[in-house]
């Protein structure tokens, strides 16, 4: 040993002192004994360690959300309302989207290009442009045609045979109390006189072309009008070869349509006159329909869904073939104050009978604010309401969820049915301002909501003991909460993962060591007891 004696003694003393505080003293290998129980316990410990380590790691990698509630101090002036609603019993031509709020703003029959209507046959109707354009009436002499009858007056009993007996029948479904019907009546009689006395050059015999009327206010005729889904007066329908159901109503596409929209009832694809209300225009239209149906002077053809007949040759259809149902979707910019989004039948050229309006509807989507990425939107729907944006398989908000796998978005949603007449549906929505900060992203201001839905009979007033009903409608009444929910995404810090990992390893090792000791102690006691040496 080349070290001086003094340094050698010092090193030995230091090593002795350090060994004295050794927490991890080793037992010589030749003094240890392996056992089957210890091996099994060790294997079990390894399995438990692996499971806990994987769980701990997955928990670390998972996105955590922290939610706080603060006073909403934002000064946004605009609130976007996003919606997608189907009304299977209201035509797109009548469906009006209105927006009113508590500070007096009213937007009736909104014409925004961000709102669109679709017929339920899949054809695009139009942007939500005004359907209440000025109706042009003719000047047929009221004193003459108001007192003469040229159109055939039909009833529920005579209607089926009459329309079956003629190639083309134009029918005016009307109500005597309707001011638009009163104004149209002499014009329609004038047109009927022209049509019934008309024959194309070279044609002999009966043209089998007739114009008729049906008074929908009598009980028997009322059932007939409901069968043909007459929602507004006057409604001028076209019956070709005995029916107003379009030829496509019997093909495979129609059967698929019925499967996708079981709330529709036949008849579905009707042809309705929408042209000028003049005797010349209506008579020219009837003549053109007859020519198309019989093939007289041109190729025999019927208008396709979404199409119609051009009676006056101006390039615009004077009739339209469409279903009595409508899907409305879009986005509206509203003032950021409490208000109502209303979907209701509306027209300046027609009168509505509330008894014939069924406002059953399906809400496919309803939300506020900007469109969100799916992960954010899913969390807001699940955690903060938005029952009209996701399926649950149970009743929600007074309606029930209907989903058809493999179908388009318009085929699933929350359905609110009107089982009786005069039902208005109102959805009360509490809008919750929300700030969502995604992991690694910028804060995004959006909105969650909670909702309660009700339906009730919409009587306006009673006069002289008679109930007066308002037209059924769908109302979305919304109000904003003064508090804001702040949601932040984050992951656990690495130190937490390391700490948890250390706790798992140490805890499992210690617990398994205790278990092994207990097993060994019990085994020793059993051997002693077998040898009679216990005690």
């Amino acid at each position: 040993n080349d070290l001086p004696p003094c340094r050698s003694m010092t090193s030995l003393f230091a090593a002795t002192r350090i060994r004295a505080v050794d927490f991890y003293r080793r037992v010589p290998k030749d003094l240890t004994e392996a056992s089957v129980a210890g091996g099994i316990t060790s294997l079990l410990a390894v399995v438990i360690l692996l499971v806990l380590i994987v769980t701990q790691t997955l928990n670390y990698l998972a996105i955590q959300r922290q939610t706080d509630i603060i006073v909403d101090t934002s000064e946004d002036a605009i609130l976007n309302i996003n919606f997608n609603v189907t009304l299977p019993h209201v035509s797109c031509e009548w469906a009006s989207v209105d927006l009113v709020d508590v500070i007096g703003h009213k937007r009736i029959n909104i014409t925004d290009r961000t709102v669109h209507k679709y017929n339920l046959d899949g054809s695009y109707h139009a942007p939500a442009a005004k359907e209440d354009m000025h109706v042009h009436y003719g000047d047929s002499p009221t004193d003459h045609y108001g007192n003469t009858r040229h159109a055939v007056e039909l009833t529920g009993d005579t209607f089926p045979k009459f329309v079956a007996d003629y190639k083309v029948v134009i029918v005016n479904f009307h109500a005597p109390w309707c001011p638009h019907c009163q104004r149209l009546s002499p014009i329609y009689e004038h047109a009927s006189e022209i049509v019934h006395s008309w024959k194309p050059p070279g044609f002999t015999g009966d043209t089998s072309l007739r114009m008729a009327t049906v008074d929908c206010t009598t009980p028997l005729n009322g059932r007939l009008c409901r069968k043909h889904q007459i929602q507004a007066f006057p409604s001028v329908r076209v019956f070709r070869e005995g029916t107003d159901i379009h030829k496509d109503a019997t093909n495979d596409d129609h059967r698929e349509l019925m499967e996708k929209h079981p709330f529709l009832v036949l008849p579905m694809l009707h042809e309705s006159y929408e042209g000028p209300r003049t005797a010349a225009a209506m008579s020219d239209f009837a003549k053109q329909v007859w020519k198309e149906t019989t093939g007289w002077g041109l190729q025999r053809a019927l208008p396709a869904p979404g199409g119609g007949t051009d009676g006056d040759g101006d390039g615009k259809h004077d009739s339209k073939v469409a279903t009595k149902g409508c899907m409305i979707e879009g986005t509206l910019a509203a003032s950021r104050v409490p208000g109502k989004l209303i979907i209701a039948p509306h027209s300046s050229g027609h009168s509505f009978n509330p008894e014939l309006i069924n406002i059953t509807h399906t809400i496919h989507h309803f939300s506020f604010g900007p469109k969100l990425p799916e992960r954010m939107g899913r969390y807001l729907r699940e955690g903060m309401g938005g029952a009209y944006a996701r399926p649950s398989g149970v009743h929600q908000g007074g309606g029930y969820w209907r989903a058809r796998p493999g179908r388009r978005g318009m085929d699933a949603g929350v359905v609110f049915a009107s089982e009786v007449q005069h039902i208005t549906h109102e959805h009360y929505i509490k809008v919750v301002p929300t700030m969502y900060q995604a992991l690694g992203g910028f804060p995004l201001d959006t909105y969650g909501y909670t909702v309660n839905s009700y339906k009730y009979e919409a009587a306006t007033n009673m006069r002289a003991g008679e109930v007066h009903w308002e037209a059924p409608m769908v109302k979305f009444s919304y109000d904003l909460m003064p508090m804001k929910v702040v949601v932040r995404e984050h992951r656990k810090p690495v130190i937490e993962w390391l700490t948890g990992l250390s706790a798992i390893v140490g805890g499992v090792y210690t617990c398994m060591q205790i278990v092994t000791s207990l097993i060994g102690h019990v085994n020793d006691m059993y051997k002693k007891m077998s040898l009679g040496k216990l005690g």
Side-chain angles (χ1 to χ4, degrees):
N1 192 354
D2 297 333
L3 290 175
C6 182
R7 291 189 60 185
S8 178
M9 291 297 294
T10 302
S11 300
L12 180 61
F13 178 76
T16 303
R17 300 287 293 184
I18 292 174
R19 283 196 296 267
V21 296
D22 183 8
F23 297 152
Y24 307 100
R25 301 185 182 189
R26 293 184 301 166
V27 179
K29 192 171 183 179
D30 56 352
L31 297 180
T32 61
E33 181 183 3
S35 65
V36 174
I40 294 175
T41 306
S42 298
L43 291 175
L44 182 61
V46 170
V47 172
I48 294 174
L49 274 173
L50 289 175
V51 171
L52 292 179
I53 289 173
V54 170
T55 304
Q56 172 73 2
T57 304
L58 292 177
N59 187 44
Y60 164 71
L61 295 175
I63 295 176
Q64 309 292 322
R65 295 184 179 91
Q66 176 182 337
T67 302
D68 300 305
I69 298 178
I70 62 174
V71 175
D72 183 17
T73 58
S74 58
E75 299 180 356
D76 296 338
I78 299 299
L79 174 68
N80 285 337
I81 304 175
N82 314 297
F83 60 94
N84 185 326
V85 180
T86 293
L87 296 91
H89 301 293
V90 178
S91 301
C92 283
E93 58 188 314
W94 314 132
S96 169
V97 179
D98 308 329
L99 190 64
V100 298
D101 59 40
V102 296
I103 59 178
H105 294 160
K106 291 184 179 181
R107 299 168 63 191
I108 307 299
N109 203 9
I110 293 173
T111 59
D112 286 6
R113 292 292 173 176
T114 57
V115 179
H116 304 272
K117 297 179 182 178
Y118 298 86
N119 295 309
L120 293 193
D121 57 16
S123 62
Y124 181 63
H125 179 77
K130 286 187 180 297
E131 298 291 345
D132 59 341
M133 62 189 72
H134 177 70
V135 178
H136 176 64
Y137 285 92
D139 54 356
S140 299
T142 305
D143 56 347
H144 174 68
Y145 291 105
N147 298 306
T148 59
R149 292 291 176 266
H150 297 279
V152 181
E153 184 71 26
L154 300 178
T155 66
D157 290 330
T158 61
F159 183 89
K161 184 178 186 305
F162 186 86
V163 297
D165 288 344
Y166 295 93
K167 281 285 186 182
V168 175
V169 180
I170 311 296
V171 182
N172 175 23
F173 293 90
H174 67 95
W177 52 262
C178 164
H180 304 288
C181 301
Q182 296 167 7
R183 191 171 180 183
L184 177 65
S185 179
I187 298 169
Y188 194 80
E189 295 296 335
H190 188 182
S192 300
E193 181 185 43
I194 297 172
V195 167
H196 292 168
S197 61
W198 170 80
K199 285 186 180 181
F203 185 87
T204 59
D206 187 358
T207 59
S208 195
L209 168 62
R210 295 292 186 272
M211 295 184 71
T213 62
V214 173
D215 179 1
C216 289
T217 59
T218 67
L220 181 61
N221 293 354
R223 289 193 292 271
L224 175 67
C225 295
R226 281 191 291 273
K227 174 185 175 182
H228 289 276
Q229 298 180 342
I230 303 301
Q231 303 167 332
F233 306 123
S235 288
V236 180
R237 289 280 180 81
V238 180
F239 289 77
R240 301 174 187 250
E241 298 180 328
T243 180
D244 68 335
I245 303 176
H246 192 269
K247 64 183 181 66
D248 283 358
T250 58
N251 64 18
D252 292 338
D253 291 339
H254 174 265
R255 284 190 286 270
E256 181 182 356
L257 182 64
M258 287 300 295
E259 290 178 1
K260 293 190 294 184
H261 302 282
F263 301 101
L264 295 177
V265 293
L266 288 174
M268 288 185 53
L269 291 165
H270 305 288
E271 183 178 3
S272 302
Y273 178 76
E274 299 178 351
R277 294 178 183 178
T278 67
M282 298 188 79
S283 59
D284 288 344
F285 170 78
K287 297 172 188 177
Q288 184 66 20
V289 170
W290 180 84
K291 292 177 182 178
E292 291 178 350
T293 305
T294 61
W296 179 265
L298 47 80
Q299 184 177 359
R300 189 174 185 273
L302 295 176
T309 296
D310 178 10
D312 51 13
D314 62 355
K316 299 179 181 179
H317 292 155
D318 295 312
S319 67
K320 186 171 185 179
V321 176
T323 60
K324 293 303 170 186
C326 188
M327 184 182 81
I328 309 174
E329 67 173 357
T331 298
L332 289 177
S335 298
R336 198 172 181 272
V337 295
K340 291 183 180 181
L341 173 65
I342 302 171
I343 301 177
H346 173 79
S347 174
S348 65
H350 298 80
S351 299
F352 292 95
N353 185 349
E355 293 184 358
L356 302 180
I357 302 297
N358 184 339
I359 210 70
T360 292
H361 59 287
T362 301
I363 303 176
H364 308 292
H365 177 81
F366 201 93
S367 64
F368 297 87
K371 300 289 181 66
L372 295 178
E374 178 58 26
R375 176 162 57 88
M376 300 182 192
R378 184 171 60 250
Y379 170 73
L380 291 180
R381 293 193 296 267
E382 293 176 352
M384 300 174 54
Y388 301 153
R390 63 180 296 269
S392 70
V394 298
H395 285 69
Q396 288 187 337
Y400 59 92
W401 180 263
R402 180 180 184 84
R404 299 180 68 86
R407 301 290 188 179
R408 294 175 299 176
M410 65 181 292
D411 305 317
V414 185
V415 181
F416 295 87
S418 299
E419 294 86 357
V420 296
Q421 297 174 342
H422 308 297
I423 294 297
T424 284
H425 294 263
E426 187 154 5
H427 308 285
Y428 294 92
I429 300 173
K430 281 291 185 182
V431 183
V432 184
T434 305
M435 187 188 77
Y436 196 107
Q437 183 169 4
L439 184 67
F442 295 98
L444 177 65
D445 286 318
T446 181
Y447 298 89
Y449 65 86
T450 60
V451 60
N452 290 287
S453 300
Y454 303 92
K455 55 186 175 184
Y456 53 87
E457 292 185 343
T460 54
N461 53 63
M462 294 186 64
R463 292 197 296 266
E466 187 175 329
V467 180
H468 292 263
W469 302 93
E470 69 175 10
M473 62 187 70
V474 181
K475 300 179 182 178
F476 297 92
S477 301
Y478 57 90
D479 190 8
L480 283 87
M481 298 290 289
M483 310 302 288
K484 174 182 282 190
V485 175
V486 180
V487 181
R488 294 184 177 90
E489 291 184 349
H490 64 90
R491 282 199 175 99
K492 290 183 176 181
V494 177
I495 189 64
E496 283 193 23
W497 177 72
L498 292 175
T499 303
L501 208 59
S502 300
I504 288 173
V505 173
V508 171
Y509 180 80
T510 302
C511 290
M512 287 305 176
Q513 194 172 37
I514 294 173
V515 170
T516 302
S517 299
L518 288 175
I519 293 174
H521 184 67
V522 170
N523 187 46
D524 291 342
M525 291 180 63
Y526 177 76
K527 288 180 179 179
K528 290 181 180 181
M529 186 173 60
S530 300
L531 297 174
K533 297 180 178 181
L534 186 64

